[in-house]
Amino acid sequence: MVKIMDLRRNGYLILLLVLLGGDYEVGVKGENNVVFNVKHKFGGRGKSVLKDLKDHDARRHGRMLAAADFQLGGNGSPTGAALYFTKLSIGTPSKDYHVQVDTGSDLFWVNCARCLRCPTKSKLGIDLVQYDLQASTTGKSITCEQDVCSAMFNADSSECKVGKPCEYLVTYGDGSSTGGYFVKDNIYLDQVSGDYKTSSLQGTVAFGCSSQQSGDLGTSTNAVDGIIGFGEANSSVISQLAAAGTVKKMFAHCLDGVKGGGIFAIGQVVEPKVNSAPLVPNRAHYTVSLKDIEVGREVLDIPTSLFESKSSKKAIIDSGTTLVYLPSKAYNALMNKLMSKQPQLKTHHLDGDFDCFIYSGNVDDGFPAVTFQFVGNLSLTAYPHDYLFQVRDNEWCIGWQEGTQGKDGNEIYLLGDLLLSNKLVLYDLEKQTIGWTQYDCSSSIKVKDETSGNVYTVGAHKISSASNLDSRMAFTFFLSIISFLCFLLN
């Protein structure tokens, strides 16, 4: 789980995999490097997980892409849950909480004591914990007259009056919702203090205290204690911490699609070097301009309408989505080109959503790589072993999916972990760029301490699975963090 805590003073980079939200009082000087462990909710590749992956993406897209309101006495733009979760500590005395991590979210919230319809059990092998404001000696409520309520959470409604709690209500596109009020309390992180070394780091942040839930959020058997996002809004942890001069608005993740686990970092990554492209401005999600799709070395011929052009193609980069979703015209052109390489193969449907086939050879020899070309000379390549899932002996299914709509009703390009795994992805929100490079995510990266100029090595991690973890969740994903603060939640 990635959480971002803006714990920046005196120029130390904080490497975090957790996000914080709201009014914060940073009790640490410098831009500190913080490390977090992250775990993937789903695992392995096989028939048992295909439906889970598609169902997860469908629920997520209903939340992430809907034109829903984030109400704090005003309006906001909520986004949905992620595939990854991490553990962080909150309050005094501190308690551990497991929260979902999402690069497309802006708010951080956790389930609170006496919450209505909040989940109490999880199949993820974790004990769910509810935050109790009264049980923490450092916890404080946020009321309407406080600057953080209006400035950070846009609570400008006449209904938000002096002395009343600063409330929120997030309604997602799939009909689920979470509502409650904002509080602030201490959060505890692992600060990077040397090569593969950490020390304790404490900060104070504002976050949502969920007092009621509905829909999938309240009934999911794969529940966690909350959500933490990595978005750009003022309410996000990384934005808050950066505004306070605690951290730079930069973070990176490296998802190990081979061994599981990986790296999640906040701050300046020194090694490896990463090529970047500009983010499309004024978008709710991290979006880049897509030029072409190549199959092998051939540019895919995607039919365009009178109102479409190559320059109009935009692609959302989202680590919370598992598969890759393409507009119908692009999907059909891609599938036709791929299957033309093996004309003798006959496909069949599995779980109603996946095209599958029987093949006994080496898929990397029999099928071409698929490369997405972006502006700025940036590309993302998926090799056959990336986009083909082996569900049983000699039976393979194709991970490309057709059609996902944005909030304007148009089909979009949505690029998830099928493309992002085994790559270091760097988000530089100060320069408004995003970049990536092929990388061994089970290894390590180097991050810079801005105050001292020292460069530290941060290695990959993996949260161990609990003994009662469902087998189809066994693919434990980890993310260790590097040089910046953990990111925000919605």
Side-chain angles (χ1 to χ4, degrees), residues 187-425:
I187 185 166
Y188 303 90
L189 309 169
D190 291 332
Q191 173 184 340
V192 175
S193 56
D195 291 342
Y196 304 104
K197 294 180 180 179
T198 61
S199 57
S200 179
L201 181 65
Q202 173 190 316
T204 301
V205 298
F207 55 93
C209 190
S210 178
S211 59
Q212 60 179 345
Q213 292 178 11
S214 68
D216 183 65
L217 284 177
T219 60
S220 175
T221 57
N222 300 317
V224 289
D225 296 318
I227 298 177
I228 193 167
F230 277 76
E232 294 189 73
N234 289 337
S235 56
S236 74
V237 170
I238 194 168
S239 295
Q240 295 180 52
L241 296 179
T246 303
V247 298
K248 290 186 175 180
K249 295 183 72 173
M250 305 167 66
F251 69 96
H253 59 68
C254 195
L255 314 181
D256 190 341
V258 178
K259 301 178 181 178
I263 301 169
F264 203 109
I266 308 236
Q268 182 180 356
V269 177
V270 178
E271 292 182 15
K273 300 295 183 182
V274 174
N275 293 326
S276 298
L279 288 166
V280 177
N282 303 317
R283 294 295 178 112
H285 310 288
Y286 297 116
T287 305
V288 287
S289 295
L290 177 64
K291 292 167 54 180
D292 294 301
I293 301 176
E294 296 179 1
V295 179
R297 296 185 177 181
E298 302 177 53
V299 175
L300 202 61
D301 183 16
I302 303 174
T304 58
S305 69
L306 181 64
F307 304 100
E308 294 177 325
S309 66
K310 287 187 176 182
S311 62
S312 68
K313 296 197 292 288
K314 302 292 187 292
I316 293 174
I317 306 297
D318 179 30
S319 66
T321 291
T322 305
L323 304 172
V324 168
Y325 296 80
L326 307 174
S328 298
K329 293 178 180 178
Y331 172 81
N332 290 329
L334 174 59
M335 291 294 290
N336 289 337
K337 179 66 69 173
L338 288 178
M339 299 315 295
S340 69
K341 306 298 182 181
Q342 296 287 346
Q344 76 283 2
L345 291 182
K346 294 183 178 180
T347 61
H348 60 275
H349 290 289
L350 185 65
D351 288 337
D353 295 304
F354 292 88
D355 288 317
C356 306
F357 55 85
I358 303 299
Y359 187 76
S360 58
N362 185 324
V363 293
D364 284 322
D365 295 333
F367 293 85
V370 177
T371 300
F372 292 73
Q373 298 286 358
F374 304 93
V375 297
N377 244 359
L378 197 61
S379 64
L380 264 177
T381 298
Y383 298 96
H385 63 263
D386 294 322
Y387 65 78
L388 296 176
F389 293 75
Q390 186 171 14
V391 296
R392 58 170 66 95
D393 289 346
N394 297 334
E395 184 177 15
W396 297 81
C397 293
I398 304 171
W400 309 114
Q401 295 293 301
E402 178 180 8
T404 287
Q405 292 184 339
K407 61 183 180 182
D408 58 1
N410 295 324
E411 289 186 307
I412 61 173
Y413 292 85
L414 182 57
L415 313 183
D417 293 340
L418 185 151
L419 276 172
L420 301 179
S421 294
N422 308 312
K423 297 172 181 67
L424 178 70
V425 183

